[in-house]
């Protein structure tokens, strides 16, 4: 049982659960049709219920929902439903920041403003499953509001989905992509040319950095120390790995476990070995 507080349109309302006095956004076909504020009603399992207790740098979620056009809430809801089919454990409350982002993106497109995303290719490589959902979202968006979102815009949507899967936020997801890109650029600078992004060594190193960043955020430590071995056997790779760990620590403003240096060096050395084989 819910008490409706605001009708957004025929398919979306704001309502309070009398049992806990918490307000939610409820989206579903006809949930607002013929309803009035203060009216009590029950909804079945065919609706999506989003809690509005969170806050963002743009204000509290309730205020944002009240100002976002319902069509963008509908689009975001469709994307979340699609993502939920793909991912079992997902924080569906990205509805507010996602719809807010789509609304601003639509405004930019309609005004002819082109926004580039320098991390798009990194996002595609780092979060392929999330980006696949974003590609499906592209069709949903075009069907609903008639706008064609670019790959760069889809990259941002993929970051929202990723943040919902990792109990983080889009800022952390962007930071991860940026760190991975900077690390790969540093390795490529050492080699003297670009590394094939489709190569296994590139993919492994990129994935390692992604999970290393996740460990740093969670404060987790590795159990095995490879520092002495890598410093002795692969001093060049170890030196680069050590330098990159310092850079990552400075960017994240978090302490990195010393043992990360050796493990990062292993992946850097694999890239070196592949390059040596190709140049023979």
């Amino acid at each position: 049982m819910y008490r409706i507080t605001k009708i957004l349109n025929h398919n979306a309302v704001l309502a309070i659960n009398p049992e806990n006095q918490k307000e939610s956004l409820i989206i579903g076909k006809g949930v607002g049709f013929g309803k009035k504020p203060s009216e009590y009603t029950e909804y079945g399992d065919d609706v999506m219920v989003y809690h509005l207790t969170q806050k963002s740098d743009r204000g509290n979620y309730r205020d944002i929902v009240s100002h976002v056009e319902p069509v963008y809430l509908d689009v975001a809801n469709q994307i979340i439903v699609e993502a939920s089919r793909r991912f079992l454990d997902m924080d569906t409350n990205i509805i507010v920041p996602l719809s807010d982002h789509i609304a601003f993106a639509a405004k930019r497109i309609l005004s002819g403003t082109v926004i580039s995303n320098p991390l798009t290719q990194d996002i595609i490589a780092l979060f392929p499953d999330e980006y696949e959902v974003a590609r499906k979202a592209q069709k949903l968006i075009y069907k609903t509001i008639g706008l064609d979102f670019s790959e760069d815009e889809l990259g941002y949507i993929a970051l929202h989905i990723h943040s919902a899967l990792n109990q983080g936020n889009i800022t952390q997801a962007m930071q991860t992509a940026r760190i991975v890109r900077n690390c790969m650029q540093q390795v490529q600078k050492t080699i003297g040319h670009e590394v094939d992004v489709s190569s296994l060594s590139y993919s492994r190193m990129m994935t390692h950095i992604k999970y290393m960043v996740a460990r740093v955020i969670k404060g987790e430590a590795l159990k095995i120390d490879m520092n002495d071995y890598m410093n002795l056997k692969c001093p060049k790779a170890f030196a680069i790995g050590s330098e990159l760990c310092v850079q990552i620590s400075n960017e994240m403003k978090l302490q990195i476990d010393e043992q990360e240096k050796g493990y990062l060096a292993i992946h850097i050395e694999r890239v070196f070995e592949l390059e040596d084989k190709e140049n023979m």
Side-chain angles (χ1 to χ4, degrees):
M1 182 71 71
Y2 288 90
R3 178 172 61 83
I4 295 175
T5 56
K6 185 174 183 178
I7 308 293
L8 299 176
N9 67 2
H10 287 340
N11 301 318
V13 301
L14 294 177
I16 289 178
N17 183 335
E19 293 182 3
N20 56 26
Q21 292 300 308
K22 291 183 178 180
E23 189 171 40
S24 299
L25 167 66
I26 300 176
I27 299 180
K29 187 174 182 180
V31 296
F33 182 73
K35 305 296 183 182
K36 297 179 180 179
S38 298
E39 182 178 341
Y40 284 85
T41 185
E42 289 190 9
Y43 294 112
D45 295 334
D46 56 338
V47 303
M48 292 291 289
V49 179
Y50 301 100
H51 303 299
L52 302 177
T53 56
Q54 299 94 328
K55 291 184 179 181
S56 71
D57 54 2
R58 285 179 46 78
N60 67 63
Y61 279 15
R62 204 273 184 190
D63 290 343
I64 296 174
V65 166
S66 297
H67 290 89
V68 172
E69 291 184 39
V71 65
Y72 299 118
L73 293 172
D74 179 42
V75 170
N77 177 65
Q78 291 183 61
I79 294 172
I80 290 171
V81 170
E82 179 63 38
S84 296
R85 294 192 184 106
R86 179 68 179 267
F87 308 107
L88 297 179
D89 188 15
M90 177 177 173
D91 180 8
T92 59
N93 287 307
I94 62 165
I95 181 76
V96 177
L98 180 57
S99 59
D100 194 33
H101 169 78
I102 293 172
F104 272 95
K107 184 177 180 180
R108 290 194 297 266
I109 294 172
L110 290 171
S111 66
T113 303
V114 178
I115 298 296
S116 64
N117 182 351
L119 299 174
T120 296
Q121 295 308 311
D122 300 280
I123 292 168
I124 293 173
L126 277 171
F127 315 123
D129 294 335
E130 293 91 326
Y131 197 82
E132 183 179 335
V133 174
R135 284 194 182 280
K136 292 183 178 180
Q138 185 181 36
K139 297 178 180 179
L140 293 173
I141 292 169
Y142 187 80
K143 181 179 179 180
T144 306
I145 59 178
L147 296 178
D148 190 14
F149 275 36
S150 67
E151 276 200 347
D152 288 342
E153 291 290 0
L154 297 183
Y156 289 118
I157 292 177
L159 288 178
H160 278 286
I161 296 170
H162 176 73
S163 69
L165 297 175
N166 293 272
Q167 298 180 336
N169 55 55
I170 191 171
T171 302
Q172 285 182 349
M174 289 189 68
Q175 184 182 53
T176 298
R178 185 169 56 249
I179 287 172
V180 169
R181 181 190 60 179
N182 291 342
C183 288
M184 298 309 301
Q185 287 179 340
Q186 184 65 34
V187 172
Q188 290 175 147
K189 182 179 178 181
T190 301
I191 296 173
H193 61 83
E194 292 186 357
V195 179
D196 182 4
V197 296
S198 63
S199 68
L200 182 59
S201 59
Y202 187 104
S203 176
R204 283 177 173 173
M205 180 176 169
M206 180 181 62
T207 301
H208 173 80
I209 296 171
K210 178 176 73 171
Y211 285 112
M212 182 178 73
V213 170
R215 287 194 296 273
V216 172
I217 293 173
K218 296 176 182 178
E220 297 177 351
L222 293 169
K223 296 181 180 180
I224 301 176
D225 191 340
M226 297 292 292
N227 286 2
D228 291 341
Y229 176 82
M230 291 303 296
N231 191 23
L232 178 63
K233 296 293 185 179
C234 312
K236 183 179 179 181
F238 184 77
I240 296 173
S242 299
E243 181 182 345
L244 290 177
C245 282
V246 171
Q247 292 178 13
I248 295 170
S249 178
N250 291 337
E251 179 168 348
M252 298 183 70
K253 295 180 173 58
L254 292 172
Q255 187 65 38
I256 292 184
D257 181 54
E258 282 292 315
Q259 295 171 185
E260 292 287 358
K261 297 177 181 179
Y263 273 86
L264 180 55
I266 291 174
H267 292 279
I268 294 173
E269 182 63 24
R270 284 174 176 167
V271 175
F272 288 166
E273 290 174 353
L274 177 65
E275 293 303 306
D276 289 341
K277 288 180 181 179
E278 292 183 350
N279 293 326
M280 288 179 64

